[in-house]
Amino acid sequence: MLTKPRVALTLCGHGAARCRLSREEYVTALERAGALVLACGPRDDPPDDFDALCLSGGGDIDPARYAAENVASRDIDLDRDATEFALAERALREDMPILGVCRGFQLLNVALGGTLIQHVEGHEQRLTGAVPHVVVAEPGSRLADACGAERQRVNSAHHQAVTLATLAAGLRPTVLVEGSIEAFESRHHRFVVGVQWHPERTDEVDAPATRIFDGLVRAAARGPSAVTMSEI
């Protein structure tokens, strides 16, 4: 029997109903893709041994992490920041596959030296649910390889953003919507992908968008020795 890739999944750590549902959505998406999920909350001991990392959504990152004053950031959890930055830095250093979702997308940008726009209008979740919009992944990108390069309906539930001016130098944008980068990937790692939307919420996105989890797990299953420099 083949061993399932072990994916470390970071979680918000709150007991609210939305957080409990979010945990179930991420775990279901990763297990469906073939992963053994190692869930890790802000005050849990991080897993010692894992093959890939999934950084989930949640509250804002402490602006001190990117040398900025707090002008609009909220729901900051310093313990979560510490846990997730440590995991991200280890995974980047060891060239493990990483998927960053919403907050995780923003955290990857900061971990690689970028900054954030602390508030933008029109992208935050409404009382009726997430804001829908359409994206198209750049052909040949990791995102397009996993999900296709056709138009896809995704969701928006964030109030902070990454732009071309705040993007880390080692990242390249693969989806740009009205000046905001909605997806990126690393130029220097075999699989480091961030998406600003929430593909784990399967009822809010088109089916192809959910396949980014399959892309993460496939990259983890292949292992670093299976990837050539021409693929990076």
Side-chain angles (χ1 to χ4, degrees), residues 7-196:
V7 177
L9 168 66
T10 64
L11 299 167
C12 71
H14 298 312
R18 174 66 248 180
C19 290
R20 293 196 300 272
L21 177 59
S22 177
R23 176 190 176 113
E24 293 173 5
E25 290 167 335
Y26 281 105
V27 170
T28 297
L30 288 164
E31 288 183 343
R32 185 181 293 124
L36 174 64
V37 181
L38 308 175
C40 177
R43 283 154 285 281
D44 296 334
D45 291 331
D48 291 326
D49 200 10
F50 56 97
D51 305 302
L53 175 63
C54 181
L55 299 162
S56 69
D60 295 339
I61 296 159
D62 182 4
R65 289 277 179 174
Y66 46 97
E69 294 184 9
N70 187 348
V71 296
S73 296
R74 59 196 191 224
D75 193 21
I76 294 169
D77 185 333
L78 297 179
D79 287 335
R80 183 174 187 185
D81 284 356
T83 296
E84 292 190 344
F85 275 98
L87 285 169
E89 287 160 6
R90 174 186 169 187
L92 289 166
R93 184 173 61 251
E94 298 181 15
D95 198 18
M96 296 181 192
I98 308 174
L99 172 62
V101 174
C102 197
R103 169 195 159 90
F105 162 94
Q106 296 165 5
L107 188 140
L108 279 175
N109 186 55
V110 174
L112 287 165
T115 62
L116 302 176
I117 304 298
Q118 292 189 39
H119 186 73
V120 292
E121 297 290 344
H123 297 261
E124 200 163 6
Q125 183 164 319
R126 305 164 180 156
L127 291 176
T128 54
V131 179
H133 64 292
V134 173
V135 299
V136 180
E138 180 181 324
S141 65
R142 297 283 188 258
L143 182 62
D145 289 347
C147 304
E150 298 77 27
R151 289 166 56 88
Q152 296 174 27
R153 176 184 62 95
V154 297
N155 49 18
S156 182
H158 61 99
H159 82 107
Q160 301 197 326
V162 176
T163 65
L164 291 173
T166 65
L167 183 68
L171 296 172
R172 72 175 180 115
T174 56
V175 174
L176 189 63
V177 178
E178 298 179 351
S180 290
I181 295 172
E182 293 276 320
F184 57 56
E185 63 186 42
S186 174
R187 301 177 188 273
H188 308 299
H189 299 84
R190 60 194 179 98
F191 189 101
V192 172
V193 175
V195 295
Q196 184 63 84

